[in-house]
Amino acid sequence: GAGVSQSPRYKVAKRGQDVALRCDPISGHVSLFWYQQALGQGPEFLTYFQNEAQLDKSGLPSDRFFAERPEGSVSTLKIQRTQQEDSAVYLCASSSPSGTTGTYEQYFGPGTRLTVT
Amino acid sequence: GQQLNQSPQSMFIQEGEDVSMNCTSSSIFNTWLWYKQDPGEGPVLLIALYKAGELTSNGRLTAQFGITRKDSFLNISASIPSDVGIYFCAGPWSSGTYKYIFGTGTRLKVLA
C-alpha cells in the first residue's frame, strides 16, 4: 500500500483481556517502530524491528507487552491482561535508510486507539 | 520519559498570520524532524533537518536547525484553517540511532 496501515483503528477492551494490534508497514521498509501516545502527549518509543529481528524493546512498559514481526513485514503488538493505564493510542511507523544522510525518516500509521474499561 | 520542550504549548492565530514555534533540548541533536498530527491521525512528516544552521522549506513551512544543535524552529507563513493541529519536533536519542524522542507539542488553532 501507499502508507502505513493499522488495524483496528479503535479497540475497547475490558480490564484483564488480551488485545492484538496489527501494523502493515510501507512495502520494502526495513525498519518498524511501535510508539505509545498518551492523551495530550507526544509519542513515546516502545520497540524497534529491523526486518524480523527485534533489536530494541527497552520502551515496553511491562512484560505484558509483546511485539513480533515474524516475516519481516507485518507486525503485531500484543498486550496481555490489559490494565486501565494501557489506554492510549498505539502508533506504528516504518522507515528505510536514507542513502545520502544515513538517517531514518519515520512514516506513521493512523494509530489504534485502545480504551481499557 | 524524556521529551523535548516545545513552545508555545498552544496558540490561537488569525488566518493569514505567520506562526513561529520552537523546540529545545538540553543535549545536542544531529537530526531534527518536524511532524504535524491531526485529530485521530498519526503524525505526518513535514520537514527533516540534518546540518546545524540548515534552513529548509516545504511550501509555506520553513524550519531551521539551530547552530547550537540544541534547538530547532518552525515557521508557517500566511496560515490557513487547515494548519490547525499539533506540531511535534523529534530527534534521535543519540547520533546514528533509530530511537527518536518527541517534543511536548505545540497546538495551533487558526481563527478564520
Side-chain angles (χ1 to χ4, degrees):
Chain A
V4 179
S5 60
Q6 294 186 245
S7 61
R9 291 294 311 274
Y10 303 92
K11 177 70 178 177
V12 178
K14 291 187 177 177
R15 192 165 63 92
Q17 282 185 333
D18 298 348
V19 298
L21 312 179
R22 176 188 169 106
C23 172
D24 283 85
I26 294 171
S27 178
H29 275 193
V30 168
S31 302
L32 185 146
F33 308 81
W34 283 99
Y35 290 83
Q36 181 188 60
Q37 187 175 25
L39 190 64
Q41 303 294 319
E44 292 200 8
F45 172 85
L46 292 177
T47 187
Y48 159 64
F49 290 86
Q50 185 168 314
N51 296 307
E52 68 278 5
Q54 189 175 20
L55 299 187
D56 190 329
K57 54 182 181 179
S58 61
L60 296 177
S62 77
D63 58 8
R64 296 185 295 103
F65 287 70
F66 172 75
E68 59 184 7
R69 193 186 186 198
E71 296 178 359
S73 54
V74 170
S75 177
T76 303
L77 176 67
K78 297 179 180 178
I79 308 173
Q80 297 176 325
R81 305 181 304 281
T82 52
Q83 303 294 315
Q84 284 192 318
E85 61 263 29
D86 300 335
S87 295
V89 174
Y90 291 86
L91 294 163
C92 175
S94 71
S95 73
S96 190
S98 171
T100 55
T101 65
T103 302
Y104 305 126
E105 296 172 3
Q106 299 182 17
Y107 297 89
F108 283 82
T112 295
R113 180 176 297 277
L114 173 65
T115 303
V116 181
T117 61
Chain B
Q2 181 182 356
Q3 284 190 317
L4 302 170
N5 294 312
Q6 289 186 243
S7 65
Q9 276 192 310
S10 63
M11 54 197 312
F12 287 83
I13 60 168
Q14 293 286 338
E15 183 177 357
E17 286 185 348
D18 295 345
V19 174
S20 292
M21 61 188 80
N22 66 44
C23 180
T24 59
S25 169
S26 57
S27 56
I28 289 173
F29 275 65
N30 291 318
T31 300
W32 288 97
L33 302 104
W34 284 93
Y35 286 87
K36 176 177 182 268
Q37 187 172 27
D38 291 330
E41 300 296 328
V44 173
L45 182 63
L46 299 174
I47 293 177
L49 302 161
Y50 300 106
K51 283 177 59 175
E54 180 181 355
L55 191 70
T56 298
S57 293
N58 178 7
R60 293 178 296 105
L61 277 62
T62 301
Q64 184 163 23
F65 193 139
I67 57 172
T68 66
R69 299 172 128 193
K70 292 185 177 181
D71 54 14
S72 180
F73 308 89
L74 178 69
N75 296 312
I76 305 172
S77 62
S79 58
I80 60 178
S82 62
D83 290 334
V84 165
I86 305 176
Y87 292 80
F88 290 103
C89 59
W93 284 95
S94 60
S95 178
T97 188
Y98 48 80
K99 194 170 168 180
Y100 284 2
I101 60 172
F102 280 77
T104 49
T106 292
R107 287 148 186 78
L108 180 63
K109 298 188 179 182
V110 180
L111 306 173

